[in-house]
Amino acid sequence: VLTIPISVFSIVYQSFFLKKFCRVCLGIIVLLWFQCALLLPSFFFANVRAPDLIAAVSCICIALSFLIFFKQSYHDNRLLQSDVIRLSRFKRDASIFMWRLENSKWMDTTSFEKEIYLGNPESKIDFLIVCNPYCGACSYAHSLLTEILNIHRENIRIRIRFAVTRSKDSDNLIATKYLMELLTGKDSGPVWNEKILHDWFITPDLDAFSQKYPLGEVNNIEQHLMDHEQWTRNAVVSFTPSFFINSREFPAGYYMEE
């Protein structure tokens, strides 16, 4: 008896919402109704005690309560999915994104004397990322940038700047110095830089990394460190990774995956 309201809901749900029927589900419903039909005569003609009747009615009420609850939950979920779809369409509208980008904070991103490039240095589409060597989110962002490069390598320029504080002798500063030695040395170039950053962010372990990429001739990178530190301070970079597209800060509310 308790299965009747639930089975009715199942049939209505499959008929009007899913627009298709599950043969196995229908078979189970037919079997349950058949069993119910066999038991109903004995239920009505037997000596039914009041406590048993109260228990049966209570069970039916509980089943109906669950049915109403799940129906409301399903309705709320459908509304939520509809809102998510509309929001997704809004966010993926290129014209809206460009409007947000053009009205976001502008920052002077004039190239340094020793800029760290990936992709095509001559491209008019300039993507600047501010990161630090031990930032897990920066590692993920770099993997996304690699995917972008694999598709648009000739059409995009990516520049890397490090959020560094020279007054603090930290692991971040030590790793940044080592990376900048490699990224501004004689082998520096888009292909080399991409390989160095890729290998570092896969396993940010300086001991293992320095064995794979030992330093040759030591460069004077103090001015480069000063440039990166001063720029990130002027840009008021409060977290990493931070992104700038053609000197405009990446709009809030959007994600790299989008």
Side-chain angles (χ1 to χ4, degrees):
V1 174
L2 296 178
T3 62
I4 291 178
I6 297 176
S7 61
V8 171
F9 170 76
S10 176
I11 293 174
V12 172
Y13 177 76
Q14 294 178 65
S15 177
F16 294 99
F17 295 97
L18 294 182
K19 305 296 183 181
K20 59 182 180 180
F21 290 96
C22 169
R23 295 181 180 179
V24 176
C25 299
L26 292 177
I28 294 174
I29 289 172
V30 171
L31 179 62
L32 291 172
W33 283 12
F34 180 72
Q35 291 177 334
C36 183
L38 293 177
L39 292 173
L40 278 178
S42 62
F43 178 80
F44 284 111
F45 293 106
N47 293 323
V48 180
R49 295 178 300 172
D52 295 334
L53 183 60
I54 293 173
V57 172
S58 300
C59 290
I60 293 175
C61 291
I62 292 172
L64 289 174
S65 299
F66 275 106
L67 180 62
I68 294 171
F69 171 78
F70 285 117
K71 179 182 177 182
Q72 184 62 41
S73 297
Y74 170 79
H75 178 69
D76 294 342
N77 186 57
R78 293 276 293 186
L79 290 177
L80 178 60
Q81 289 180 350
S82 178
D83 291 341
V84 168
I85 291 173
R86 286 197 294 268
L87 177 60
S88 178
R89 289 175 179 172
F90 175 82
K91 293 186 68 177
R92 293 179 185 276
D93 188 320
S95 61
I96 294 176
F97 174 79
M98 291 305 299
W99 181 84
R100 290 283 309 279
L101 180 65
E102 290 168 1
N103 287 275
S104 63
K105 183 179 75 174
W106 180 88
M107 186 64 197
D108 183 4
T109 58
T110 303
S111 297
F112 295 151
E113 179 184 355
K114 283 282 189 177
E115 195 73 75
I116 303 170
Y117 288 110
L118 307 178
N120 180 5
E122 304 300 324
S123 175
K124 294 182 179 180
I125 301 177
D126 180 65
F127 199 100
L128 189 150
I129 174 173
V130 185
C131 60
N132 78 60
Y134 291 109
C135 165
C138 297
S139 177
Y140 177 64
H142 185 78
S143 68
L144 295 177
L145 291 177
T146 300
E147 294 179 11
I148 295 174
L149 281 174
N150 290 336
I151 301 173
H152 306 288
R153 186 173 302 276
E154 296 302 319
N155 300 317
I156 189 171
R157 172 179 65 181
I158 297 176
R159 290 186 287 163
I160 308 296
R161 293 190 177 174
F162 291 103
V164 61
T165 303
R166 292 176 301 131
S167 60
K168 296 180 180 180
D169 191 12
S170 62
D171 292 340
N172 178 55
L173 176 61
I174 295 171
T176 300
K177 285 182 175 180
Y178 199 93
L179 287 170
M180 290 192 71
E181 288 278 3
L182 294 170
L183 295 169
T184 61
K186 61 180 181 179
D187 295 321
S188 177
V191 177
W192 170 259
N193 294 346
E194 185 178 349
K195 177 177 175 58
I196 291 296
L197 290 169
H198 176 268
D199 289 355
W200 169 262
F201 280 117
I202 285 180
T203 308
D205 183 330
L206 187 57
D207 291 335
F209 187 78
S210 60
Q211 292 180 10
K212 184 176 182 179
Y213 295 102
L215 292 179
E217 181 181 349
V218 178
N219 303 309
N220 183 5
I221 61 169
E222 286 304 316
Q223 182 60 48
H224 306 324
L225 286 171
M226 187 185 302
D227 290 340
H228 284 239
E229 180 183 29
Q230 186 63 46
W231 187 89
T232 53
R233 184 182 294 116
N234 292 341
V236 195
V237 174
S238 56
F239 61 89
T240 57
S242 290
F243 307 100
F244 294 81
I245 300 178
N246 288 357
S247 301
R248 294 286 182 179
E249 189 174 35
F250 197 79
Y254 286 87
Y255 299 94
M256 281 288 295
E257 297 90 331
E258 300 171 328

